[in-house]
Amino acid sequence: MNNQIFVKMALDGWNAQIKATDNMLAKLSDEQLMHEVSPGRNRGIYLLGHLTAVHDLMLPLLRFEEAAYPELRATFIDSPDRAVADLPSVEELRAQWTTVNEKLSRHFATLSPDEWLTPHASVAEEDFAKEPHRNRLNVLLSRTGHLSNHRGQLILLAPKG
Amino acid sequence: MNNQIFVKMALDGWNAQIKATDNMLAKLSDEQLMHEVSPGRNRGIYLLGHLTAVHDLMLPLLRFEEAAYPELRATFIDSPDRAVADLPSVEELRAQWTTVNEKLSRHFATLSPDEWLTPHASVAEEDFAKEPHRNRLNVLLSRTGHLSNHRGQLILLAPKG
């Protein structure tokens, strides 16, 4: 019973962040996403690619399936903005962002509360025995925070007022 | 047992955000905190006051004690930046930020996992019976996301590079 409540709280938090981000992205034009969130800082397109790459890698990290767009990692995680000249279009990234989050959402719906407490893919079995908090739900919690962090930056691209 | 793991995950997430924010604030000068995070957007001092006010109000919301600085609410929650001319100094806000988080931390340490699952102060008893996720731990989770969101903005004040 309590497990269900905990999982619901974590999923509610994730879903609220995804929804708020989607609503925000729907209001930002492709052109606005080419701007920097603050002078000299990351551009919107980079943050969108970064979030998409990180969420895509949650698919293997949560032991669901292979990453759908593993090529995003080099550009949007391993490299800072502007280090890679040849970026996917904003349109393409928007579509990948949606696809990846839909895949995650479908997998989330299949996990029982107990399965959320099983180890994620990057923790060794002997470590997990001692550190049972290194589970799949913890990945969800930390990625929710990661999304919240960058959403706070992306919103700076919206018209003021 | 599982309750303990859930509470540990939530508290680890909160503590990580507080630590990252404190480290960032230690590197930002009072003068840097007077700048806007992006042209025409909130100033650092406003975000610091906003986070302090929101965390202060967690004290009554979590049924721990009265807010220590309830006067911050009018300036930093109910009003946007620059609507109130007479702000506390950055130095004062830094001290209040630390005090409030220390108070929270001391209370957190006294709560058992089961107590985390009891209602927060803004949910009616009959609603809580139907919606048991509206508990104190959920306040912690949502405020962790709130902090992460604004930390992503404050970091834009740091020197680039």
Side-chain angles (χ1 to χ4, degrees):
Chain A
M1 171 59 176
N2 281 349
N3 285 10
Q4 271 180 355
I5 295 174
F6 283 117
V7 168
K8 177 180 168 48
M9 290 193 287
L11 279 173
D12 282 355
W14 170 268
N15 288 329
Q17 287 298 328
I18 292 284
K19 190 175 172 183
T21 306
D22 283 347
N23 288 344
M24 180 186 64
L25 288 172
K27 286 182 199 146
L28 291 172
S29 67
D30 291 3
E31 200 270 315
Q32 284 169 326
L33 282 165
M34 296 309 294
H35 298 174
E36 298 167 333
V37 298
S38 186
R41 303 293 175 163
N42 289 327
R43 290 173 297 169
I45 186 174
Y46 179 83
L47 290 175
L48 174 58
H50 177 68
L51 288 170
T52 303
V54 167
H55 288 202
D56 189 39
L57 289 171
M58 290 170 71
L59 291 166
L61 184 58
L62 291 169
R63 300 190 277 111
F64 291 150
E65 59 177 290
E66 294 297 302
Y69 312 109
E71 71 279 5
L72 296 178
R73 179 183 204 134
T75 306
F76 294 109
I77 298 180
D78 298 340
S79 311
D81 190 15
R82 299 185 191 280
V84 178
D86 192 21
L87 297 189
S89 68
V90 171
E91 191 184 354
E92 194 174 350
L93 288 171
R94 286 182 191 272
Q96 292 176 337
W97 164 253
T98 301
T99 298
V100 162
N101 291 324
E102 283 174 355
K103 277 174 185 280
L104 286 170
S105 185
R106 280 197 295 275
H107 286 289
F108 292 167
T110 70
L111 280 197
S112 70
D114 282 349
E115 284 171 320
W116 275 109
L117 293 183
T118 56
H120 60 68
S122 298
V123 58
E125 210 171 310
E126 62 269 30
D127 293 332
F128 185 72
K130 285 172 285 180
E131 301 175 309
H133 60 280
R134 298 175 67 181
N135 54 50
R136 290 152 129 182
L137 197 68
N138 216 7
V139 171
L140 184 73
L141 289 174
S142 71
R143 293 303 181 276
T144 300
H146 178 259
L147 174 54
S148 184
N149 186 284
H150 290 304
R151 187 172 66 81
Q153 299 173 330
L154 280 165
I155 206 150
L156 302 172
L157 296 171
K160 288 153 210 159
Chain B
M1 172 59 176
N2 281 349
N3 285 10
Q4 272 180 355
I5 294 174
F6 283 115
V7 169
K8 178 182 167 47
M9 290 194 287
L11 279 173
D12 282 356
W14 170 268
N15 289 329
Q17 287 297 329
I18 293 285
K19 190 174 173 183
T21 307
D22 283 346
N23 288 344
M24 181 186 63
L25 287 172
K27 286 182 198 146
L28 291 172
S29 67
D30 290 4
E31 199 269 339
Q32 284 170 326
L33 282 166
M34 296 309 293
H35 297 174
E36 298 168 333
V37 299
S38 186
R41 302 292 175 165
N42 289 327
R43 290 173 296 170
I45 186 175
Y46 179 83
L47 290 175
L48 174 59
H50 176 69
L51 288 170
T52 304
V54 168
H55 288 201
D56 189 38
L57 289 171
M58 289 170 71
L59 291 167
L61 185 56
L62 292 169
R63 298 191 277 111
F64 291 150
E65 60 177 289
E66 295 296 301
Y69 312 109
E71 70 280 5
L72 296 178
R73 180 185 203 134
T75 306
F76 294 109
I77 297 181
D78 298 340
S79 311
D81 191 14
R82 299 185 191 280
V84 178
D86 192 23
L87 297 188
S89 68
V90 171
E91 190 184 355
E92 195 174 349
L93 287 171
R94 285 182 190 272
Q96 292 177 335
W97 165 253
T98 301
T99 298
V100 162
N101 291 324
E102 283 174 355
K103 278 174 183 279
L104 285 170
S105 185
R106 280 196 296 274
H107 286 290
F108 292 168
T110 69
L111 280 196
S112 70
D114 282 348
E115 285 171 320
W116 276 108
L117 292 183
T118 56
H120 59 68
S122 297
V123 59
E125 211 172 309
E126 62 269 29
D127 293 333
F128 186 72
K130 286 172 286 183
E131 301 175 309
H133 60 280
R134 297 174 67 181
N135 54 49
R136 290 152 129 181
L137 196 68
N138 216 7
V139 171
L140 185 73
L141 289 174
S142 70
R143 293 304 181 276
T144 301
H146 178 259
L147 174 54
S148 183
N149 186 284
H150 290 304
R151 187 172 66 81
Q153 299 172 332
L154 280 165
I155 206 150
L156 301 172
L157 296 172
K160 288 152 211 161

